[in-house]
């Protein structure tokens, strides 16, 4: 595995007071979930289902698709690695910068990797996967739904892995599983952990054609999703609580943060259609800034220098409350004054 | 993955009153663990450590070995698959009958598999793994510690995978990690889920040489062990509660069950050095018996016919309370009378 993931608050003990590094909404009310899991705590004393089939049934009902098109995984990460394993030895096109796990998973299973959409495509083998993260981590960019739909359907000879882990953190239209049940070259990955703000519990899923899902089932390990995660998933999918009370207001706050950061001279922030954003500074460097922010302000940012194509002037942040966002802006202004 | 695992109580809803299929002790008091997890429920709102390093440190202290020799996994299953992946393409010797996951994992990573210890060994490639389950699932057989130690150390050119998941369910001496830190051809797998009676939470570990552990870390996925499992593991390893109050009495009860079952004519039970045992019947068949026991007595047994080399006259059971064990014996006597 790679080193240098986001949300590494565990490294800092109690020092982190404001966590801009996690891309999961921090204000969710998880008290009902807690009550439910306590009531069903006896599940820890038994093996979980080898595959979380009951949860898959509930999710299929929520999404309006056949059960045979869904596989629930131990976070989106298990989904990514299973896809890479299923297509081992294929060519993978992974436009950069994006979530590093695609590359790591593809390398583990001997893919021929191209980082560009254009240059090398003429010479790449036809057995080809395209990995698309939408909204894209770490840029916050969102591809137009109609364009994505067109590309996938017009190129049935290629396989598209569309990671929509942050689908619930944007107002831009997303390709929905129910619209794609007639599509045989798509693997759509989503994250229940992110939707329901429980990244600690690790719940993701793959939607695809029944034939592909069946092949994935043949290579998966049993019992990867633990009993409390399954119990939480069943409760959340059945009740479908709204974890982000006002997404529109939250994304407006993200835009306000972006504008305030951009107003600092020497700071450039990419356009974003979601709650996180990629920032470039022309003063200091991000390793130093990250350490300085934790030490002096209890603020944790995501050092983005380990994304391919980015350097040590790049970091990403996720919008928090207006007060916290203002604290971040002011801290970066202070840091700049020191450089 | 394979189908037909044990502890499939989830298939039967409320029908199962006595579960002889799980190999984890059913009488453990998990109330302190529950209290602890409720107190730390906020961990579900954050990503877990990509690798459970803090838990590994605590475990290293408990076992008296360096941290660099340990890797905590999402159950012993993740350990088994990672080992198979690390040695992909090697030859694997898997004496039968044993836990089916070794074979399934080895097949997923293109191993050349031999099921015999003797016949084919002269022609097997030298890059060779031996998979040994001790105590062995499903037979309950235990290999002599001194013999195992001798075999492993006398054959440094082979790699030994020693799965001691049931180490805490036998009085026979086990090879301990602290005794094997000078050994470079051993991967020792253990199960915290089984030791602490929390199979729903999925916690296992691999002990090996630092070089092998480091190579395993390079291929593992991040975040496979979820936040509640890590929190539970830290609590349990630090406090090390005794989950089976009187192991000697429990194993004596297992022997009593074995004797009572063996006393039924047409029933043969293998010798066991642990709490579960393999049973052969010369009447009816195990699929039918299993269904009949659930339907008529709320009793769940482990159909063992899908173990390589066993047939549909084989099942395994794990000792429960004396009353439950007597109920099992009487139910099987009734079943026999019907055949």
């Amino acid at each position: 595995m790679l080193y240098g993931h986001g949300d590494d608050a565990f490294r800092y003990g109690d020092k982190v007071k404001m966590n801009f590094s996690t891309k999961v909404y921090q204000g969710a009310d998880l008290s009902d979930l807690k009550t439910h899991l306590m009531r069903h705590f006896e599940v820890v004393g038994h093996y979980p289902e080898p595959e979380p089939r009951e949860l898959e049934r509930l999710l299929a009902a929520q999404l309006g698709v056949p059960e045979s098109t869904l596989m629930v995984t131990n976070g989106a990460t298990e989904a990514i690695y299973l896809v890479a394993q299923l297509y081992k030895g294929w060519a993978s096109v992974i436009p950069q910068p994006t979530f590093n796990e695609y590359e790591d998973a593809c390398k583990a299973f001997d893919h021929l990797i191209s980082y560009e959409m254009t240059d090398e495509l003429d010479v790449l083998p036809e057995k080809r996967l395209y990995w698309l993260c939408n909204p894209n981590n770490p840029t916050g960019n969102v591809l137009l739904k109609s364009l994505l739909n067109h590309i996938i359907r017009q190129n049935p000879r290629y396989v598209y892995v569309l990671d929509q882990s942050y689908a619930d953190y944007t107002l831009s239209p997303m390709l929905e599983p129910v619209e794609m049940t007639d599509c045989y070259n798509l693997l759509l990955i989503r994250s229940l952990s992110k939707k329901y703000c429980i990244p600690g519990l690790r719940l993701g899923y793959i939607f695809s054609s029944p034939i592909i899902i069946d092949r994935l089932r043949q290579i998966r390990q049993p019992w990867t999703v633990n009993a409390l995660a399954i119990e939480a998933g069943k409760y959340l999918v059945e009740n479908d609580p709204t974890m982000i009370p006002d997404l529109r207001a939250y994304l407006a706050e993200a835009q306000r943060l972006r504008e305030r950061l951009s107003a600092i001279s020497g700071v450039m922030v990419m356009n974003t259609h979601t709650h996180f954003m990629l920032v470039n500074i022309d003063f200091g460097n991000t390793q130093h800034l990250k350490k300085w922010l934790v030490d002096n302000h209890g603020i944790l940012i995501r050092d983005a220098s380990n994304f391919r194509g980015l350097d040590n002037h790049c970091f990403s942040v996720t919008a928090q409350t207006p007060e916290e966002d203002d604290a971040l802006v002011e801290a970066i202004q202070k840091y700049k004054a020191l450089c």
Side-chain angles (χ1 to χ4, degrees), chain A:
Chain A
M1 59 176 277
L2 296 163
Y3 292 92
H5 291 283
D7 194 8
D8 53 349
F10 60 84
R11 291 182 200 279
Y12 301 98
D14 292 336
K15 283 174 84 174
V16 174
K17 306 301 175 200
M18 290 173 264
N19 185 348
F20 293 86
S21 180
T22 180
K23 293 186 172 70
V24 175
Y25 178 65
Q26 298 288 291
D29 177 3
L30 301 175
S31 54
D32 287 349
L33 175 64
K34 178 176 175 176
T35 303
H36 179 82
L37 289 185
M38 284 314 92
R39 198 172 290 150
H40 295 275
F41 191 75
E42 78 286 351
V43 297
V44 309
H46 302 278
Y47 277 83
E49 277 191 273
E51 297 178 279
R53 290 295 183 100
E54 195 181 338
L55 174 53
E56 287 167 1
R57 274 191 289 278
L58 295 171
L59 185 61
Q62 189 197 74
L63 297 172
V65 297
E67 289 166 46
S68 56
T69 60
L70 289 178
M71 187 167 103
V72 169
T73 52
N74 185 25
T77 313
E78 187 191 8
I80 291 165
Y81 277 78
L82 278 174
V83 171
Q85 185 178 351
L86 183 63
Y87 294 97
K88 68 181 166 193
W90 280 43
S92 270
V93 182
I94 312 175
Q96 299 295 324
T98 195
F99 188 41
N100 282 326
E101 292 302 321
Y102 312 140
E103 175 180 341
D104 210 32
C106 288
K107 281 182 173 165
F109 294 102
D110 306 322
H111 289 226
L112 179 65
I113 299 174
S114 166
Y115 301 107
E116 293 295 324
M117 291 295 274
T118 48
D119 288 7
E120 309 155 328
L121 295 192
D122 288 348
V123 294
L124 262 197
E126 283 289 288
K127 281 187 162 186
R128 200 185 290 180
L129 289 177
Y130 282 81
W131 296 78
L132 303 172
C133 187
N134 196 51
N136 187 42
N137 176 1
T139 62
N141 187 45
V142 171
L143 295 167
L144 204 63
K145 175 178 172 174
S146 55
L147 178 68
L148 264 178
N149 196 21
H150 179 80
I151 291 172
I152 294 166
R153 291 181 185 277
Q154 291 303 308
N155 294 284
R157 69 191 183 286
Y158 300 140
V159 174
Y160 290 85
V161 187
L162 181 61
D163 180 356
Q164 294 193 158
S165 284
Y166 296 102
D168 300 286
Y169 289 83
T170 184
L171 293 166
S172 305
M174 293 282 110
L175 277 186
E176 296 299 328
V178 71
E179 302 168 313
M180 305 304 283
T181 49
D182 59 337
C183 187
Y184 290 88
N185 60 329
L186 170 67
L187 294 101
L188 201 163
I189 295 173
R190 286 218 177 160
S191 168
L192 295 173
S193 312
K194 295 192 178 72
K195 176 175 185 180
Y196 295 119
C197 306
I198 48 163
L201 282 180
R202 322 296 306 124
L203 275 175
Y205 65 90
I206 308 179
F207 161 82
S208 191
S209 72
I211 292 168
I212 293 176
I213 292 293
D214 193 56
R215 289 176 59 204
L216 287 166
R217 289 195 192 287
Q218 287 169 28
I219 58 168
R220 88 175 302 185
Q221 297 173 27
W223 306 301
T224 57
V225 185
N226 86 15
L228 287 175
I230 291 176
E231 193 58 42
K234 291 193 300 190
Y235 174 80
L236 292 167
V237 168
E238 274 199 299
N239 293 279
D240 201 22
T242 301
M243 289 300 192
I244 308 172
D246 187 342
L247 179 61
R248 195 169 293 275
Y250 183 39
L251 295 180
E253 172 58 21
Q255 291 302 327
R256 192 187 71 86
L257 171 61
R258 180 176 177 275
E259 280 156 29
R260 283 214 63 194
L261 285 171
S262 302
I264 304 171
S265 111
V267 174
M268 204 173 68
V269 190
M270 277 191 69
N271 279 326
T272 177
H273 292 91
T274 182
H275 61 317
F276 56 80
M277 59 204 75
L278 185 62
V279 187
N280 186 288
I281 48 174
D282 71 1
F283 46 85
N285 69 66
T286 41
Q287 285 81 12
H288 183 240
L289 171 63
K290 180 179 174 182
K291 186 175 182 315
W292 186 87
L293 285 172
V294 168
D295 289 345
N296 294 282
H297 296 273
I299 284 175
L300 185 67
I301 60 170
R302 168 70 159 102
D303 174 6
S305 62
N306 70 335
F307 283 93
R308 187 172 288 274
L310 303 186
D311 65 16
N312 67 353
H313 293 88
C314 298
F315 63 92
S316 79
V317 288
T318 301
Q320 303 297 328
T321 65
E323 297 71 31
E324 290 174 321
D325 291 344
D326 287 340
L328 173 69
V329 171
E330 280 144 36
I332 289 177
Q333 283 166 334
K334 281 185 193 154
Y335 176 77
K336 193 195 167 194
L338 294 173
C339 291

